[in-house]
Amino acid sequence: MSKVTLIGTRLASEGQEFVFEGEASGCAGCPYRSQCLGLSPGVKYRVTDVRENAQVLDCAVHDAGVQAVEVEPTSVPANVSTRNAYAGSKVALEGPCPHTECPSHIYCEPDGVEFGEERRIETVIGEPPHDHCELDRDLTLVEFAAEE
């Protein structure tokens, strides 16, 4: 189910993904506020369509203005404990990881998922991109279902 919203023109391209962080301080008093703030904070979205001939509107947050796009919540790839990695099960992330240079770090701390939050596994992808986990975690790469 897609929603129409306004996002920065630099982000307004089909396939672009972002996590909606909620209202910024520059939103106060904006006449377009209700059109921008109709998304759920903390949810990851994907732009599914950029409205043709959409007017670029001035914005206190986005320096190049905003324009209308259609977005949908999107799935999130993540590393979870192998013992819990089954399609359809609900799991939480294993916890923070200080090893930012690891190729799996973006999956151990994915955008759009909070630590302690249980999410439903849509698909089990398989082996994570790292050779060895520095925290000795036994991890499997999965795809969390998009949030409703």
Side-chain angles (χ1 to χ4, degrees), residues 3 10 20 22-23 27 29 39 41 47 52 56 65-66 72 74 78-79 96 102 112 114 127 143 147:
K3 289 185 172 190
R10 296 179 201 274
F20 180 65
E23 186 172 356
C27 298
L39 304 179
V47 176
E52 283 189 41
V56 174
V66 293
E72 290 182 353
T74 188
N79 283 333
C102 175
E114 299 292 325
E127 293 294 318
E143 190 85 23
E147 295 217 297

Side-chain angles (χ1 to χ4, degrees), residues 100-117:
T100 57
E101 73 288 344
C102 175
S104 277
H105 191 266
I106 61 171
Y107 304 114
C108 291
E109 296 190 14
D111 288 339
V113 181
E114 299 292 325
F115 293 114
E117 172 189 4

Side-chain angles (χ1 to χ4, degrees), residues 63-77:
D63 65 341
V66 293
Q67 69 184 87
V69 297
E70 289 184 31
V71 298
E72 290 182 353
T74 188
S75 59
V76 178

Side-chain angles (χ1 to χ4, degrees), residues 30-70:
C30 177
Y32 313 116
R33 191 172 173 275
S34 63
Q35 291 144 344
C36 292
L37 301 177
L39 304 179
S40 300
V43 173
K44 188 173 186 180
Y45 292 92
R46 175 180 291 128
V47 176
T48 58
D49 188 42
V50 177
R51 292 285 174 104
E52 283 189 41
N53 302 319
Q55 183 179 2
V56 174
L57 306 169
D58 289 333
C59 177
V61 176
H62 296 277
D63 65 341
V66 293
Q67 69 184 87
V69 297
E70 289 184 31

